[in-house]
């Protein structure tokens, strides 16, 4: 180790004196406390999953409407056929 390096190490190891200003303000800020932020609500389902479920509900609703229409048409045909069968008997 050279003499300049040992001098530098000795200077570093020495305690540094605090020089306080005689006029003005001295600020010291020490924050060790935790800062809590507002909680954020996370969606339980993703938007993609919600859109897929919506498409599934819409398809199921359309299928139910078609089945209801078909059943209504079949019932009308059956009642018309029954009315025709009963008409000659009357």
């Amino acid at each position: 180790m050279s003499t300049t390096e040992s001098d530098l190490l000795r200077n570093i190891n020495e305690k540094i004196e605090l020089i306080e200003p005689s006029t003005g303000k001295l600020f010291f800020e020490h924050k060790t406390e935790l800062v809590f932020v507002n909680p954020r609500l996370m969606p339980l389902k993703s938007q993609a999953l919600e859109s897929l479920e919506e498409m599934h509900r819409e398809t199921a609703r359309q299928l139910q409407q078609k089945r209801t229409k078909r059943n209504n048409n079949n019932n009308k045909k059956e009642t018309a056929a029954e009315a025709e069968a009963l008409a000659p008997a009357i």
Side-chain angles (χ1 to χ4, degrees):
M1 215 187 245
S2 68
T3 56
T4 54
E5 290 176 347
S6 60
D7 288 340
L8 286 174
L9 286 176
R10 205 172 314 121
N11 289 341
I12 291 173
N13 291 335
E14 290 178 7
K15 188 175 180 180
I16 300 173
E17 281 188 40
L18 179 64
I19 301 172
E20 295 181 7
S22 57
T23 59
K25 295 181 181 180
L26 179 65
F27 291 98
F28 179 74
E29 195 172 313
H30 186 69
K31 291 185 179 181
T32 57
E33 66 273 358
L34 296 174
V35 177
F36 293 102
V37 296
N38 291 336
R40 295 182 182 154
L41 296 177
M42 298 296 290
L44 296 176
K45 296 181 181 178
S46 66
Q47 284 183 327
L49 182 59
E50 287 180 3
S51 65
L52 285 174
E53 287 179 345
E54 180 62 32
M55 286 172 29
H56 184 276
R57 283 192 293 270
E58 182 65 25
T59 306
R61 186 185 60 78
Q62 289 174 358
L63 182 61
Q64 183 65 31
Q65 285 177 347
K66 285 181 182 179
R67 286 181 181 166
T68 306
K69 267 187 196 178
R70 190 179 316 139
N71 288 342
N72 288 342
N73 289 340
N74 288 342
N75 288 342
K76 287 178 184 177
K77 288 178 184 176
E78 288 175 3
T79 41
E82 288 174 3
E84 287 177 11
L86 292 175
I90 296 180

